[in-house]
Amino acid sequence: MNNSHVPENHSRSQPRILIVGTGAVGGFYGGKLAQSGARVAALCRSDYEVVKSKGIQVKSVYGDFHFTPKKVVRNVSEYGSPPDYILVALKVLPEIDTARIIKDAVGHDTAIVLLQNGIEIEDPVAQAFPENEIISGLAFICATRTSFGHIEHIDFGRVVIGLFPEGPSARVEKLANLFNKAGVPCDVTEDAVTARWRKLVWNAPFNPISVLGGCVDTKKMVENPESLKLARQVMEEVCKIAEAAGHPLPDDIEQENIDGTSKMAPYKTSMLVDFESGRPMEVEAILGNTIRVARRHGISVPRMESLYALLKLIEKQNR
Amino acid sequence: MNNSHVPENHSRSQPRILIVGTGAVGGFYGGKLAQSGARVAALCRSDYEVVKSKGIQVKSVYGDFHFTPKKVVRNVSEYGSPPDYILVALKVLPEIDTARIIKDAVGHDTAIVLLQNGIEIEDPVAQAFPENEIISGLAFICATRTSFGHIEHIDFGRVVIGLFPEGPSARVEKLANLFNKAGVPCDVTEDAVTARWRKLVWNAPFNPISVLGGCVDTKKMVENPESLKLARQVMEEVCKIAEAAGHPLPDDIEQENIDGTSKMAPYKTSMLVDFESGRPMEVEAILGNTIRVARRHGISVPRMESLYALLKLIEKQNR
């Protein structure tokens, strides 16, 4: 079959994907999906001009590559007929209304993939598009947008995706195949919410501590005995909440996260990168929402609350 | 009586006082005691040349004044016959061995006044000089050494002094009279250890949060609802430990501290001033020792431990 003769929106072999947000995560995975043959467009904002004229250059431990989106838009209404997938890789911030941003591109058959950090971040989108399939996704990647149109990928890269809130999905399988075809390890889960709690075990301690502990990378956090202990205690708090919320995590997950972090190349967390750039941090997605779940279940999380309070204060100075 | 005819060390009306450490606290109170007629000398280190040649200029809300020590020494052995009081106003840091620094100036009748922050800070000095009277002191003052030989006093100034560990003392009364004579409100306590816990109610939250929350003054800490709440929770932890350690504090002490802080002029805590100057902070005196007391009594202090871990990490980056 010669794909060039098949109309785009009827192609089964070339799904149309709109990446919303081309930071490190959106740019990297958008480029990888394009390598697998998907027709990948990108919604850009501050980096629109650069990406439109030069695309995105990715310096990657997997091998450097260039990503030229099929189309670069400033607004989803410029995109055309609804894509098969909208892959949202925006920061999760109170001031970013994802449902509003993607609204005009969501068709009946569009699956909305939220490749984002945090807890209970799917609800606003799921409520806005009750008929659409929502795919919850997690990127386990150490990557940073070093400047507009430039991404540096220093470690990992696996993604986990699953239908929200749970269950099997053909669209999820299809997307996973695209990731795998491009060499991106992709696990499919039928329990996306538990997967999100699993990832939080890492994010909840290391993102805040990296900022509050004096702008430190992962190596410094795990080498300092006091901050390592605090990280472990915050992980324990996450596990207690996850269990109370009906998503128990494996017993060895704390140790696994600490061992993994000790072995990886020194890495600046996304929260630290945002902080150092004077950009808003995902404080609510990572800690605020989690603390609210803890409260609903009567779980005490004093360490997480301490980190949250300090982040709220430091963020006020930073913006 | 013409004091000039009375040998210094036999004078009852002109006690001889050696100030050890002429930061904001030592310089301010040394100058005030000199105004009351005491013969006040000063041990200086980094600021020796400046203080020796020009003395210390204090810009004070009480009225500016100048303090010219009777003698400025680099080492207590240069001081001469033992003073009536050694007033220690050094930072309490693991690397500062106060007993060793003052040793050669401590005579049989020398009272050692520790005008310092923190919990259980008297023990090393009390053990080194078991025959001497140890006076535990607390300075409730907002003052900063802005440069060598220059102190800025922006608010408060009261001191509380008492025999360590407890009981009445004629030497304490005499020193209190000197303070009061110079217009410095001085309360005498027969329960110095409880007084130290009382002061910690302020220091334990506000010093660490001022550093970790992005280098903020007191006004910013009490105006931000999250950090205000954290401060209150840390105060509650202090009260729990104090009670377990046999030093129960009044029920309204938290509110009193918050109200007082809300009313005072925006102030940079001493820990923040030290941090911003790249100097060591009193992390162990204020939090480390306190957490160890909590452990001895089986009291859980997760918020204080979180602040401690972050301070240990940030301090490593700062030095």
Side-chain angles (χ1 to χ4, degrees), chain A residues 45-117:
Chain A
R45 293 172 157 245
S46 49
D47 55 349
Y48 173 81
E49 296 296 344
V50 174
V51 176
K52 175 127 184 130
S53 63
K54 297 186 186 165
I56 295 171
Q57 180 61 31
V58 183
K59 195 178 153 190
S60 169
V61 287
Y62 288 2
D64 300 351
F65 64 95
H66 196 82
F67 168 35
T68 307
K70 291 286 172 198
K71 199 168 187 179
V72 180
V73 298
R74 257 188 237 267
N75 192 297
V76 295
S77 60
E78 300 164 25
Y79 176 67
S81 61
D84 299 303
Y85 296 92
I86 293 178
L87 191 153
V88 179
L90 298 168
K91 294 274 166 192
V92 182
L93 298 171
E95 59 264 46
I96 296 183
D97 184 345
T98 297
R100 192 187 54 73
I101 292 169
I102 64 174
K103 186 168 176 289
D104 291 340
V106 178
H108 283 300
D109 282 334
T110 303
I112 303 166
V113 186
L114 302 175
L115 200 57
Q116 296 176 300
N117 280 325

Side-chain angles (χ1 to χ4, degrees), chain A residues 217-228:
Chain A
D217 61 29
T218 47
K219 186 174 159 67
K220 284 181 176 151
M221 286 189 275
V222 293
E223 281 183 357
N224 184 282
E226 289 89 2
S227 53
L228 178 61

Side-chain angles (χ1 to χ4, degrees), chain A residues 213 216 303 305-306 314 317, chain B residues 213 216 303 305-306 314 317:
Chain A
V216 292
R303 288 178 176 84
E305 285 176 350
S306 301
I314 207 170
Q317 318 314 313
Chain B
V216 291
R303 289 180 176 83
E305 285 176 349
S306 301
I314 207 171
Q317 319 312 315

Side-chain angles (χ1 to χ4, degrees), chain B residues 3 14 23 35 59 69 75 77 102 106 111 122 129 180 190 193 224 236 243 250 256 262 272 278 288 292 296 312 319:
Chain B
N3 284 327
Q14 288 193 335
Q35 287 178 359
K59 194 179 155 193
N75 191 299
S77 60
I102 66 174
V106 178
E122 303 92 344
F129 308 103
N180 287 322
E190 294 192 11
V193 177
N224 184 282
E236 284 164 11
E243 181 160 17
E256 185 189 297
S262 303
L272 177 54
R292 286 181 277 275
R296 286 207 303 270
K312 295 298 273 187
R319 291 178 75 171

